[in-house]
Amino acid sequence: MKMMWQRNINKNLLFMKMNYFFAYGAYAPIVPFISTIGKQRGYSAFVMGIALTALQIPSLIVRPTLGSITDVYKCRRFMFLAGEVLFALVVIGLVFIPGATASEMIDDKIVFETMLFWAFFCIIFLLCLGAVIRSIMEDTICVSLLGDNVNNYGRQKVWGSIGYGVVSIISGASVDWFSKGKDYKDYRPGYVISFFFSIMDIYVSTGIKVVQVKKNKTIGGDLKNVATDFRVIIFFISIICFGFLMAFIQNFLFWYLEDITNLYHPEIKPWIKTVQGLFLITQYFLSEVPLYFLSSFIIKRIGHMNVFSLAFLALSIRFMLYSLIKNPIIALSVEILHGFTNALTESAAVAYAAKLSPVGAEGTMQGLIGMALLGIGTPLGNFVGGYLIKSLGSIITFRLMSIVAIIVCIIQATMSLIINRIYRHEDNPVQTS
């Protein structure tokens, strides 16, 4: 006879939580360090901005296409596992790609003529492709498992933040430890940790039950109705703006940290990867975890789109604080805002997309959201961020982004008020025929 607690456990959601933990644990040693790995190789912020922009091509093309294909052919499980396997294989490639260091920045034109840069770029491109494939399937499967309880998405995704935070500090400390006595950072310990978590993720994911609802009507007709809804248009524009601004933090925050360390606190340089690991554990473990748990409550109280207004305000504050602080240890306190600018917003976006989606087109809708965020907003942020940081420096660039964020906040909040006034009597955001 099973115990009461055993009967109350949703096995599928348990495996989903474990998947998020191991998947984001696999990301932690690599993804946040891509720009600084390039910096160590002598690539300028502009070069890395272009590279990071190109890395988002899979998000622009693959996300909506893959979502539609898996909706039509009912192959979410296969593509989910395929993305995980590709990611794991590419991590092995990172271990063996020749390392490179440079004492100063290499001329941009020369960088693009070297085979080593293109080998590095291709490996990272495939890594991002694997991450894109598994992430869209992961969120779609999670939303399907939750059903009418989609606002509880944050309680599943929170385990990704826990994995990311825990692994990031372990990985950062390992890289610093194995780099003792060297004038460069040896990232191979992080790659090994990433590979281990990738294998565990594949193993756990095989236990997740994937159910797809059969669709009798054409998905294209339903999505046409969705795409012409004013609320959906504002939602997508908000997603693009959010991706643009978050790109500066996701891909250039560590660049900024290394800049202020070199300028004001060179004594911290030997342990900079550990410090960066502390930033990640603060972001994902101390900040995101509480906000993921509270996301359902907050979204129900203030609404999906008002969450975006709150996020843009928090982003403006973050950027301004970054531009004023000169000590990386003190800058660590700013990361307590990360949950408002990432976890809460992501939960609102996924839940709102699921609410807008026609039955049977969940994968397509999540793919379109991913395209807006990672295929349009983030690439624009990467390109503009790389150019501005090379031209103005990271500190002035972050101050400028603080002004941009508050302007976006005001405009987006105004649009939300208009939407609430126009559609306040409707329960369902989008009606499909």
Side-chain angles (χ1 to χ4, degrees):
M1 184 175 178
K2 294 183 177 180
M3 300 293 291
M4 180 65 70
W5 66 269
Q6 290 178 308
R7 291 199 298 268
N8 291 334
I9 291 178
N10 186 318
K11 185 178 179 181
N12 286 316
L13 289 180
L14 174 61
F15 280 121
M16 201 74 233
K17 292 179 176 70
M18 293 172 68
N19 160 73
Y20 278 120
F21 178 85
F22 287 116
Y24 280 78
Y27 290 166
I30 301 174
V31 174
F33 298 101
I34 290 177
S35 64
T36 54
I37 292 173
K39 185 179 184 181
Q40 179 173 278
R41 290 171 172 265
Y43 308 150
S44 71
F46 183 62
V47 168
M48 288 308 301
I50 293 176
L52 290 167
T53 300
L55 291 176
Q56 300 302 326
I57 291 176
S59 292
L60 181 61
I61 300 175
V62 175
R63 281 184 178 271
T65 304
L66 184 64
S68 298
I69 291 173
T70 55
D71 281 341
V72 173
Y73 294 103
K74 308 295 184 293
C75 56
R76 287 178 189 167
R77 181 185 181 85
F78 172 79
M79 296 307 301
F80 182 39
L81 294 174
E84 294 178 336
V85 171
L86 176 59
F87 186 92
L89 292 175
V90 176
V91 171
I92 297 177
L94 277 173
V95 176
F96 294 103
I97 189 174
T101 60
S103 57
E104 57 185 27
M105 294 297 171
I106 304 172
D107 183 81
D108 293 349
K109 293 182 179 179
I110 296 176
V111 169
F112 290 116
E113 294 174 355
T114 61
M115 289 298 297
L116 190 56
F117 169 78
W118 290 110
F120 171 72
F121 174 81
C122 289
I123 287 290
I124 298 300
F125 182 88
L126 291 174
L127 189 85
C128 290
L129 177 60
V132 164
I133 293 172
R134 60 158 297 281
S135 66
I136 183 175
M137 292 297 97
E138 168 185 80
D139 285 342
T140 303
I141 292 169
C142 183
V143 166
S144 297
L145 290 174
L146 289 170
D148 293 335
N149 298 315
V150 69
N151 281 342
N152 290 329
Y153 166 81
R155 297 181 181 179
Q156 320 310 313
K157 188 63 178 289
V158 66
W159 291 96
S161 297
I162 294 172
Y164 206 96
V166 170
V167 176
S168 62
I169 188 63
I170 296 173
S171 175
S174 299
V175 169
D176 280 336
W177 179 266
F178 280 87
S179 301
K180 279 186 175 180
K182 301 177 182 178
D183 57 358
Y184 64 93
K185 294 298 180 182
D186 187 346
Y187 288 94
R188 287 178 296 179
Y191 301 154
V192 173
I193 292 172
S194 177
F195 179 71
F196 170 76
F197 274 77
S198 297
I199 296 300
M200 292 301 299
D201 183 33
I202 295 171
Y203 175 74
V204 167
S205 297
T206 57
I208 298 175
K209 183 180 180 181
V210 180
V211 178
Q212 290 188 247
V213 178
K214 291 184 178 180
K215 178 69 174 173
N216 296 323
K217 296 185 295 181
T218 60
I219 292 173
D222 284 346
L223 288 179
K224 182 178 179 180
N225 292 330
V226 172
T228 56
D229 188 279
F230 181 62
R231 286 160 293 188
V232 178
I233 295 172
I234 298 301
F235 177 45
F236 271 70
I237 293 174
S238 299
I239 290 284
I240 292 171
C241 292
F242 176 73
F244 174 84
L245 292 167
M246 279 301 296
F248 286 78
I249 293 177
Q250 291 171 341
N251 294 315
F252 295 107
L253 174 59
F254 286 179
W255 196 291
Y256 150 81
L257 289 176
E258 294 189 4
D259 281 349
I260 63 172
T261 297
N262 291 332
L263 285 172
Y264 305 113
H265 292 276
E267 73 278 4
I268 298 177
K269 192 173 181 179
W271 295 101
I272 187 60
K273 296 305 163 185
T274 303
V275 172
Q276 290 171 346
L278 288 173
F279 266 73
L280 292 174
I281 199 170
T282 303
Q283 287 179 355
Y284 289 88
F285 192 74
L286 299 181
S287 182
E288 282 200 353
V289 168
L291 267 297
Y292 271 129
F293 278 118
L294 293 172
S295 60
S296 179
F297 174 83
I298 295 174
I299 292 169
K300 288 178 181 178
R301 293 301 182 278
I302 70 175
H304 299 86
M305 293 306 294
N306 288 332
V307 167
F308 279 87
S309 303
L310 181 62
F312 291 131
L313 175 61
L315 279 169
S316 179
I317 295 171
R318 284 184 78 177
F319 282 125
M320 183 55 69
L321 290 175
Y322 288 142
S323 71
L324 297 175
I325 295 173
K326 297 180 179 180
N327 189 319
I329 303 300
I330 296 177
L332 185 63
S333 61
V334 181
E335 302 316 289
I336 201 66
L337 293 172
H338 186 78
F340 292 95
T341 59
N342 197 65
L344 187 59
T345 313
E346 183 179 3
S347 297
V350 171
Y352 200 44
K355 188 176 181 180
L356 299 175
S357 176
V359 176
E362 297 87 355
T364 304
M365 194 64 180
Q366 294 296 335
L368 290 172
I369 294 299
M371 180 190 71
L373 176 65
L374 300 173
I376 301 176
T378 300
L380 285 174
N382 289 334
F383 182 80
V384 174
Y387 175 79
L388 290 178
I389 288 175
K390 183 180 180 181
S391 303
L392 305 176
S394 58
I395 296 173
I396 299 300
T397 296
F398 279 12
R399 190 167 302 169
L400 177 62
M401 285 305 104
S402 177
I403 298 172
V404 172
I406 196 64
I407 293 173
V408 172
C409 176
I410 294 170
I411 296 173
Q412 193 274 334
T414 302
M415 290 297 100
S416 293
L417 287 174
I418 294 173
I419 288 173
N420 290 336
R421 180 176 292 273
I422 295 173
Y423 298 100
R424 59 186 172 184
H425 298 302
E426 296 187 23
D427 293 327
N428 297 319
V430 179
Q431 299 296 328
T432 57
S433 58

